[in-house]
Amino acid sequence: MKKKRWYDYLWLWAILYFTLGFFNILFAWLGMIDFLLPLALAIFGGNKFFCNHLCGRGQLFNKLGGDLKCSRNKPTPRWLASRWFRLAFLVFFLTMFGNMVFQTYLVGSGASSLREFVTLFWTFQVPWGWTYAAGTVPDWVAQYSFGFYSIMLTSLLLGLIVMALFKPRTWCAFCPMGTMTQEICKLKNKKQ
Amino acid sequence: MASKRVAAVDRSRCASCGACENVCPRSAIKVKGGCYAVVDEEQCVGCGKCANICPAGSIEIKERAKA
């Protein structure tokens, strides 16, 4: 057995993050760590230490799909892990992220009002108002929370679906953060 | 004595997620510089754990080339 390190338990963080979002949506901001840390490690460290050891979501998929056998453990379809699909999914994801930031801007500028919904799969609006008491923070801060949590929850659900269908960590094969950090690492290592 | 079989990574498909690295019982496979996984053929015994866990299907267990 390999010696366990503190970061082998970060799957607990993944569970905690999604639980907190059911109580207070403002906790969604903590997800920015999972966004900025892998980018920082890739840009400054030229590595994927985040994906490899720190990603709580990857560990959670491994636990559920591997240890708890909630995965069929069938090969991921070739196209799902192909380069063009990974890049296309990254572009799609960034577009949706940009749209979410734009919605936040609209609320911040007063052009539209705060909408207390979590949008699943970029389509289904789920009322999520119980997690936020109006006026606690500026509207745009709350709007960003709902938007960011929507992205996190949608990608978690997608990840769980592909985990069940294919390999535990099939999500990692086309995770936009993974694709982005890998491309950064490739660029960095080419220069050296 | 080297094992008969050894893991081989298709670098163009590897997502460098590190699933292989975490499952390898001999620390024979590592993600290099965030680009792709690299097999230490001296250490690899061709057990196939990495090929089984790889979400991108980028690892194959092959017959070791005769030296």
Side-chain angles (χ1 to χ4, degrees):
Chain A
M1 273 305 277
K2 281 181 186 170
K3 195 175 169 290
K4 288 260 185 192
R5 294 176 188 271
W6 65 269
Y7 50 68
D8 288 327
Y9 299 93
L10 284 172
W11 54 277
L12 291 167
W13 157 246
I15 296 174
L16 181 69
Y17 178 79
F18 289 103
T19 312
L20 288 174
F22 279 80
F23 293 97
N24 191 324
I25 198 66
L26 297 176
F27 283 116
W29 278 85
L30 288 175
M32 290 299 285
I33 299 171
D34 297 275
F35 237 72
L36 298 174
L37 191 56
L39 285 176
L41 286 172
I43 293 169
F44 302 111
N47 63 51
K48 295 232 303 173
F49 190 81
F50 187 88
C51 291
N52 301 167
H53 300 290
L54 303 180
C55 180
R57 181 178 296 189
Q59 291 178 12
L60 184 64
F61 290 153
N62 227 4
K63 279 255 175 291
L64 293 176
D67 301 353
L68 298 177
K69 302 200 186 325
C70 297
S71 169
R72 292 196 311 156
N73 206 32
K74 300 279 183 214
T76 304
R78 301 283 292 174
W79 62 269
L80 208 55
S82 66
R83 189 172 156 81
W84 70 265
F85 179 79
R86 294 181 66 197
L87 290 176
F89 191 68
L90 172 63
V91 169
F92 171 73
F93 212 82
L94 287 179
T95 308
M96 293 325 243
F97 185 79
N99 178 48
M100 187 272 284
V101 172
F102 183 62
Q103 296 302 322
T104 307
Y105 164 77
L106 287 181
V107 169
S109 69
S112 60
S113 51
L114 173 64
R115 305 188 70 246
E116 297 181 352
F117 287 93
V118 159
T119 311
L120 291 180
F121 301 105
W122 306 279
T123 314
F124 307 106
Q125 304 243 308
V126 186
W128 213 267
W130 77 87
T131 60
Y132 181 65
T136 316
V137 289
D139 276 357
W140 70 268
V141 176
Q143 182 63 53
Y144 188 83
S145 302
F146 285 108
F148 196 73
Y149 193 74
S150 301
I151 289 179
M152 293 296 270
L153 198 55
T154 296
S155 52
L156 176 83
L157 291 173
L158 277 178
L160 285 172
I161 292 168
V162 290
M163 174 199 80
L165 290 175
F166 312 115
K167 298 276 178 184
R169 282 184 67 174
T170 289
W171 165 255
C172 302
F174 61 100
C175 167
M177 287 311 298
T179 308
M180 204 166 8
T181 50
Q182 189 180 20
E183 293 303 320
I184 292 169
C185 287
K186 280 181 179 171
L187 278 175
K188 262 193 90 94
N189 286 303
K190 208 180 271 179
K191 273 189 199 152
Q192 282 164 10
Chain B
M1 211 187 104
S3 60
K4 277 185 182 161
R5 285 141 72 79
V6 69
V9 179
D10 178 350
R11 292 182 176 181
S12 68
R13 294 189 67 82
C14 176
S16 56
C17 69
C20 51
E21 183 175 325
N22 291 326
V23 82
C24 180
R26 291 174 63 90
S27 307
I29 187 163
K30 293 231 158 62
V31 174
K32 203 171 172 193
C35 295
Y36 42 72
V38 175
V39 180
D40 177 352
E41 297 201 358
E42 301 259 303
Q43 286 295 318
C44 179
V45 290
C47 72
K49 277 192 164 187
C50 54
N52 183 46
I53 201 81
C54 179
S58 69
I59 306 178
E60 226 185 319
I61 302 298
K62 287 182 170 163
E63 294 295 321
R64 199 182 278 268
K66 292 247 160 44

